[in-house]
Amino acid sequence: QVQPVESGGGLVQAGGSLRLSCAAPGRAFSGYVMGWFRQAPGKEREFVAAIRWSGVSTYYSGSVKGRFPSPKDNAKNTVALQRNMLKPEDTAVYYCAAGLAGAGFNPVTPSGYDYWGRGTQVTVSS
């Protein structure tokens, strides 16, 4: 089965930016929704944003809207998430996931996603 691969994490000062990418080797996830989640130490995995592979529909968590531009379909089967105005509370492991869109699919919950990346660490210092 296909496993998404995240990249672009690292150490950034507060107010800085990072661009995270999620790649699916071989081909695009046609018909899928690509989701971004994050998990901080001692906390549950939480939804950040999601985008249909076609790029026509996007979803954001209310807590990050305005600081996280919409994910974007890119060449080479890559979806990007630009993260600006980073805060220390954004520190977490960020995961991308792919779920087949269908009736009743909820992009904000992890249970609907079929494939998960291993995560990329984002650390924001004050």
Side-chain angles (χ1 to χ4, degrees):
Q1 294 181 322
V2 177
Q3 178 178 266
V5 179
E6 305 94 338
S7 62
L11 176 63
V12 182
Q13 289 186 322
S17 301
L18 283 175
R19 189 173 190 266
L20 305 182
S21 296
C22 179
R27 65 180 184 273
F29 282 99
S30 181
Y32 278 74
V33 172
M34 307 299 297
W36 288 97
F37 294 80
R38 68 183 183 185
Q39 187 167 18
K43 295 186 177 181
E44 296 294 320
R45 190 168 299 183
E46 66 174 336
F47 172 78
V48 177
I51 183 174
R52 297 184 70 90
W53 190 258
S54 64
V56 299
S57 299
T58 58
Y59 312 87
Y60 289 104
S61 166
S63 65
V64 299
K65 189 175 183 178
R67 296 191 296 118
F68 294 81
S70 174
K72 180 180 179 182
D73 290 342
N74 292 329
K76 300 181 180 180
N77 302 327
T78 299
V79 173
L81 179 66
Q82 183 71 34
R83 303 177 60 245
N84 303 317
M85 301 175 63
L86 288 164
K87 304 175 181 179
E89 53 263 41
D90 293 319
T91 296
V93 177
Y94 284 71
Y95 300 88
C96 66
L100 182 61
F105 180 79
N106 187 349
V108 308
T109 61
S111 61
Y113 292 86
D114 303 304
Y115 309 109
W116 289 84
R118 294 181 179 180
T120 184
Q121 177 70 48
V122 173
T123 302
V124 184
S125 61
S126 60

